[in-house]
């Protein structure tokens, strides 16, 4: 199913992000908006923001794709393509634009900083890109279910805002990361739609992709790369759940019968041949 550019689910989120980027640049309020949001979120508590920011981690986002492998193969492949595009968007931008983090610009007492103390390559936010890539796949790739699509966009927005609340990204970082994630989702769905025929995951390529994602999910059981000890129980629980669900789905894929090309019935051909013979006989009789 090709992505419809006329659907508000396709163009409205990036349009809002671009409008916010233009407004912040025109008014020069990037720092002021960061301080206001950072201070306003203190009442919620660090634990909530820590768990939201965990959902934007790249390895966590890939593990969450694993359960789609059998039930939604089209979205599974689109999500992997989106991860490549969003990753390139983030890493290439970081390579050319080295914006210092708030901790390198502001005094520690001026804002709330929690978690790892990053100081460099702030622009853009990779967590926001990952969250909006996943949300974009479902928002643009699934028809109906407007409530669920809206809730996914809200969740992705909260993941992006959490990077401001823990004091490691500016608002422009989050918005630019959101645009990269949404672009990745659109490219993934568009590339998938251009291929003729179904994108199956029961073949060798699908099993290899599933094995790689299983390894990513398994690494989350022991990894501490997020750098926030408070989220380790949730990280491990999520990893185990994705591993178990993914193993079940891949097992069902292995047991499924192979997909064969549809067979053409013999009787239409026979009827056509009989008619040709009858016509030839009539012509002989008339002649």
């Amino acid at each position: 199913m090709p992505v419809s550019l006329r659907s508000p689910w396709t163009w409205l989120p990036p349009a809002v992000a671009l409008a916010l980027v233009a407004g912040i640049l025109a008014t020069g309020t990037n720092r002021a908006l960061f301080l206001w949001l950072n201070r306003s979120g203190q009442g919620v508590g660090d634990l909530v923001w820590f768990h939201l920011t965990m959902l934007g981690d790249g390895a966590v986002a890939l593990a969450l794709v694993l359960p789609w492998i059998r039930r939604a193969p089209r979205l599974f492949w689109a999500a992997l393509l989106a991860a490549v595009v969003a990753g390139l968007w983030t890493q290439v931008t970081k390579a050319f634009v080295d914006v210092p983090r708030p901790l390198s610009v502001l005094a520690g007492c001026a804002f709330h900083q929690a978690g790892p103390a990053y100081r460099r390559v702030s622009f853009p936010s990779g967590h926001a890109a990952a969250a909006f890539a996943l949300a974009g796949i479902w928002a643009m790739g699934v028809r109906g279910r407007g409530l669920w699509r809206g809730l996914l966009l809200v969740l992705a927005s909260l993941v992006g805002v959490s990077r401001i609340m823990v004091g490691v990204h500016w608002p422009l970082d989050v918005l630019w990361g959101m645009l990269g994630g949404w672009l990745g989702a659109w490219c993934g769905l568009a590339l998938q739609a251009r291929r003729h025929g179904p994108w199956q995951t029961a073949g060798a390529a699908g099993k290899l992709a599933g094995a790689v994602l299983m390894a990513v999910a398994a690494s989350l059981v022991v990894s501490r790369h997020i750098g926030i000890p408070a989220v380790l129980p949730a990280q491990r629980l999520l990893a185990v759940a994705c591993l178990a669900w993914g193993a079940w789905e891949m097992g069902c894929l292995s047991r499924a019968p192979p997909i064969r090309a549809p067979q053409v019935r013999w009787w239409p051909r026979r009827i056509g041949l009989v008619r040709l013979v009858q016509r030839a006989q009539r012509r002989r009789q008339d002649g």
Side-chain angles (χ1 to χ4, degrees):
M1 180 184 68
V3 181
S4 174
L5 294 177
R6 296 181 179 181
S7 171
W9 292 104
T10 301
W11 60 263
L12 186 57
V16 171
L18 283 173
L20 290 174
V21 168
I24 292 173
L25 290 175
T27 57
T29 54
N30 192 34
R31 182 180 300 188
L33 184 59
F34 165 80
L35 290 172
W36 179 75
L37 289 172
N38 180 264
R39 292 166 183 167
S40 300
Q42 298 308 303
V44 177
D46 287 342
L47 194 60
V48 173
W49 298 120
F50 282 159
H51 284 84
L52 283 169
T53 208
M54 175 199 71
L55 294 177
D57 178 73
V60 172
L62 287 175
L64 289 172
V65 176
L66 185 57
W68 310 1
I69 189 168
R70 179 178 68 94
R71 298 177 184 272
R74 182 177 67 88
L75 301 183
F76 176 84
W77 289 117
L80 295 186
L81 292 170
V84 174
V85 175
L88 288 173
W89 175 279
T90 302
Q91 297 306 318
V92 171
T93 305
K94 286 181 179 293
F96 289 96
V97 183
D98 186 3
V99 176
R101 305 260 184 171
L103 194 60
S104 296
V105 177
L106 304 173
C109 59
F111 71 103
H112 178 70
Q113 192 274 329
Y118 299 122
R119 294 181 177 273
R120 297 181 61 250
V121 288
S122 182
F123 184 82
S125 169
H127 286 66
F132 276 96
L134 289 186
I137 289 293
W138 284 95
M140 293 184 285
V142 179
R143 290 180 179 176
R145 301 180 182 180
L147 176 61
W148 287 106
R149 292 195 282 182
L151 290 175
L152 282 174
L153 285 178
V154 171
L155 179 59
S157 300
L158 289 174
V159 171
V161 171
S162 71
R163 304 303 287 165
I164 299 174
M165 299 308 182
V166 299
V168 294
H169 276 294
W170 306 100
L172 283 178
D173 304 340
V174 174
L175 292 170
W176 198 254
M178 171 197 168
L179 288 170
W182 205 260
L183 175 65
W186 185 87
C187 289
L189 290 168
L191 290 172
Q192 183 275 331
R194 286 179 62 87
R195 183 183 185 277
H196 298 291
W199 282 52
Q200 299 298 328
T201 49
K207 292 177 181 178
L208 177 60
V212 171
L213 295 190
M214 290 281 287
V216 172
S219 70
L220 287 172
V221 178
V222 296
S223 174
R224 295 176 177 266
H225 72 279
I226 296 178
I228 304 176
V231 304
L232 279 177
Q235 172 188 319
R236 290 167 177 165
L237 179 62
L238 183 65
V240 170
C242 289
L243 272 173
W245 195 347
W248 168 263
E249 297 294 340
M250 291 185 67
C252 291
L253 274 178
S254 300
R255 294 191 296 270
I259 299 176
R260 297 178 180 178
Q263 299 292 329
V264 179
R265 296 182 181 272
W266 61 270
W267 56 266
R269 295 181 178 179
R270 183 173 181 180
I271 292 175
L273 182 60
V274 170
R275 289 178 178 175
L276 288 174
V277 172
Q278 290 175 349
R279 289 177 183 175
Q281 291 175 350
R282 290 173 185 171
R283 289 176 182 175
R284 290 177 182 176
Q285 292 174 358
D286 294 341

